Amino acid sequence: LVIHDSYDSLLQKDEDGYLDGESVPHSLSKILLQSIEELKQFSTELAVHVCGSHVLRTALCILAGVEFAEAFAHPGSNKQVSCEGMGGDWDTGVLGATRRGKLKDKKKKKKKKSGNTAADGTGGSSHQEATVMKVMKVVSELEAKDFRKDTDALLHEMVGIITFSDGNTQGSEVNPPGELQQNTCHPSAGPLLVQVLRLLSYRDFHSQPVSKKKDNGKEPAPDRRLGILPQEPTYSHESEAESLVHRLLCWDPTIANDNGNNESEQAQAKQPYAGEIIYGLSGEPRGSILLEAIFRCCPESFQDALCTAGGFYEEATLREYIQHGVSNFVVQAILTSFRNRDQVARMVKCLTAIVEDGSILKGKTAPSDSADNEEDSRSKPNNRRMGIVWRAFEMCATKGSSQDQEQILSAMLRGFASISTVSDDADGQKSEEKKRRKRSKAKGLSVEESIPRLLGLMPGSCDGEVDGKRLTLDAAGARALYHVLHFKERLRSDWVDGILNIYSREDLLSIANDGLGSRCVMDGLLDGPSRSIASKRLITTLSDRILFLSTERVGHHTVEKLFRALPTMEDKASLSADLSHSLNRLGSNAMGRSVMATCAVKEYLEGESAWMDALAKQRQKDNWLEEITGEKEEGSGDDEEAKGTKSKKRKKEKKEKKKRKRNRDE
């Protein structure tokens, strides 16, 4: 009844102000306020009820005027979520470029449940559960200022009751852990508290003037394939959300204010209860979700204080968090929520020793026939934490310096070397190869040896296979490789050459036809800062299979990006010429027709001037979309392709315009 264009027609009044001819006048705003007022006195009981908590969550959303929508559409569904700037843009907006193939409604097939996917640290389900907040589109009656005043006061009262607040938000006394901290781990009250925190942060963030909103620089666009989540709005100092966080963690704000240096461990050690509460919440399934929300919503200064109080900047404690099956997700949330280079540098310093010993890179051992060994393998959890590696590379690529990138990259190579050395020792092999690996342990494995371990795809494994066979790539490793391809030029060049050297043509075709491989590997090569070098080598390797890829549901995206990434017009003209010989094959399905439009194949047959005009129109359209979405071409100052500054690009455009004029005059 509240949502506009939903069931509000049931409340339409006639000319006399009555509801469908009834004799009793009706007001939706009064009914809502009176109903929520009645529920308010039972808020503490409803918060821990399996059904009542959902009623409270809906009531809080109505009072705040905010609703939650899914950030990513379900794979294989045409259902779109109407959300401003998010959800509904999966097909046409910013996220549309990341979609691979059409989303079709298919019959659901029963899938076997995987046993230990959550223990891997990469997620327990194939669908990425993430929500974003947006302003609720309500009926006109609920947009009145008087109604919003009443809802603001009622929201404040309900939050106080749910969180057991005495109303003294500015008090300096810190209460010991009690019923509120027990509710953080409750199956019904825990998600309710997460929603309360996010709603208060959203309201506080959007109530701030534009001048006070801190710009965190260019944030990566949310992406389901890459696992990049939408950024949460952060609350400000002395806000209602901050007082809620202080009560949840039993945090004493006076201690943090006495010493502004967040690196002083003595000042943070004075917190009487916060350290133990953070440690306890991180290991509990529902409490860890609340802790993740706190890290995503809190400002930078408080985030540093939380990391210090919880021991996340200490190597021994951080290792314990990472090895735990639940708290490692909290570490991943911290890695993605850092906002400055100082935080990244401190975390990389602790992560380096953990990654380079190979403990989080090693998978489960092979099962044994012995019953005793089988019981031991069941009791020992899988310590492989590739999710931590993936998030660490994402953190270094977006917020870290070149030194941070080099340290974490070298640590991973040494980690792979330590794993291979241990396996050789276990096999009892005594050879020159074993000695060489031991000597190279300090330096680490070579890039060409590490890439198959990261992707989970050995070179030549796709040779001789039937086209269309699905790959099984390591999701976290593929995403980590995507971010490696966006490191500084001196660090990523060996990885670009390694991918193109070790994998054969059939391997690259299979990667391009796989949804995850296409988004992470191919897009990393063709959309990244090394696209000019990668596109030249890929067009040479895949030249005789370009037509096959052009008509594939996933592979045609690689052909389109390959065409855009080619550095010279001569290379693009050569690709268009090759495709022009197979118009019937390309026109047989939607994917081939899309490639024809992108590569301007028909215009190429009409002549050079028509082909150049078509590409110019595409370039203007791309520039227009980049200005709207705020996404410019990726690249850094030391990159080969980024050497061309804006002035050089303008000169090239002027030369192209002159050539077009000359061709027209002729």
Side-chain angles (χ1 to χ4, degrees), residues 543-552 579 582 585-586:
S543 58
D544 55 344
R545 300 304 301 274
I546 288 293
L547 182 60
F548 164 74
L549 279 179
S550 300
T551 56
E552 290 294 310
L579 294 173
S582 306
R585 174 83 177 273
L586 293 174

Side-chain angles (χ1 to χ4, degrees), residues 271-283:
Q271 289 290 340
Y273 312 109
E276 295 180 359
I277 292 176
I278 293 173
Y279 184 83
L281 289 178
S282 64

Side-chain angles (χ1 to χ4, degrees), residues 146-165:
D146 294 337
F147 177 75
R148 293 264 60 110
K149 272 186 185 179
D150 296 336
T151 56
D152 290 343
L154 192 55
L155 176 64
H156 180 74
E157 293 177 7
M158 289 197 67
V159 170
I161 295 173
I162 294 172
T163 59
F164 304 99
S165 173

Side-chain angles (χ1 to χ4, degrees), residues 214-456:
K214 187 172 182 180
D215 186 13
N216 293 325
K218 182 182 177 182
E219 295 292 336
D223 192 295
R224 180 178 65 88
R225 290 283 186 189
L226 296 177
I228 300 176
L229 302 178
Q231 186 181 12
E232 287 284 339
T234 56
Y235 61 81
S236 59
H237 182 56
E238 296 183 353
S239 62
E240 190 174 0
E242 184 185 52
S243 62
L244 172 61
V245 172
H246 288 173
R247 292 197 302 273
L248 290 171
L249 301 178
C250 296
W251 188 272
D252 190 353
T254 59
I255 296 178
N257 293 333
D258 290 342
N259 192 334
N261 184 10
N262 291 327
E263 296 186 4
S264 177
E265 298 182 1
Q266 296 180 355
Q268 299 301 336
K270 295 179 182 178
Q271 289 290 340
Y273 312 109
E276 295 180 359
I277 292 176
I278 293 173
Y279 184 83
L281 289 178
S282 64
E284 210 281 329
R286 297 170 186 88
S288 63
I289 298 176
L290 176 61
L291 192 60
E292 291 176 20
I294 293 175
F295 275 106
R296 295 183 190 278
C297 296
C298 67
E300 292 181 13
S301 58
F302 188 69
Q303 193 178 50
D304 274 336
L306 284 178
C307 289
T308 305
F312 292 98
Y313 287 146
E314 301 173 6
E315 181 184 333
T317 310
L318 181 62
R319 186 186 295 272
E320 185 179 354
Y321 281 126
I322 291 175
Q323 291 176 351
H324 194 271
V326 176
S327 59
N328 76 89
F329 291 101
V330 177
V331 178
Q332 294 184 38
I334 295 173
L335 297 178
T336 57
S337 61
F338 279 153
R339 303 183 186 98
N340 60 58
R341 289 193 173 185
D342 294 336
Q343 294 174 319
V344 174
R346 294 185 66 184
M347 183 58 72
V348 169
K349 184 178 180 181
C350 299
L351 281 174
T352 301
I354 300 175
V355 174
E356 68 182 4
D357 64 6
S359 59
I360 65 175
L361 302 174
K362 181 170 57 176
K364 292 189 295 184
T365 58
S368 176
D369 296 334
S370 174
D372 296 336
N373 293 337
E374 189 172 337
E375 292 179 359
D376 293 340
S377 63
R378 290 177 182 176
S379 61
K380 293 181 180 179
N382 181 14
N383 291 328
R384 190 171 185 267
R385 295 284 182 261
M386 285 302 297
I388 299 293
V389 179
W390 154 37
R391 293 301 186 183
F393 278 85
E394 179 184 345
M395 173 187 68
C396 293
T398 55
K399 299 295 182 183
S401 61
S402 59
Q403 290 80 6
D404 299 329
Q405 297 173 1
E406 185 176 8
Q407 288 179 15
I408 196 68
L409 200 58
S410 301
M412 186 185 68
L413 297 179
R414 291 194 296 270
F416 282 135
S418 63
I419 294 174
S420 62
T421 304
V422 171
S423 62
D424 289 345
D425 293 341
D427 295 338
Q429 298 177 358
K430 294 182 180 180
S431 61
E432 293 297 329
E433 181 67 18
K434 176 183 173 182
K435 295 179 181 179
R436 184 185 65 82
R437 289 190 176 184
K438 282 187 175 182
R439 288 194 298 266
S440 63
K441 182 179 178 181
K443 185 178 180 181
L445 287 185
S446 65
V447 172
E448 294 186 354
E449 292 176 308
S450 300
I451 291 175
R453 297 174 181 268
L454 195 61
L455 284 180

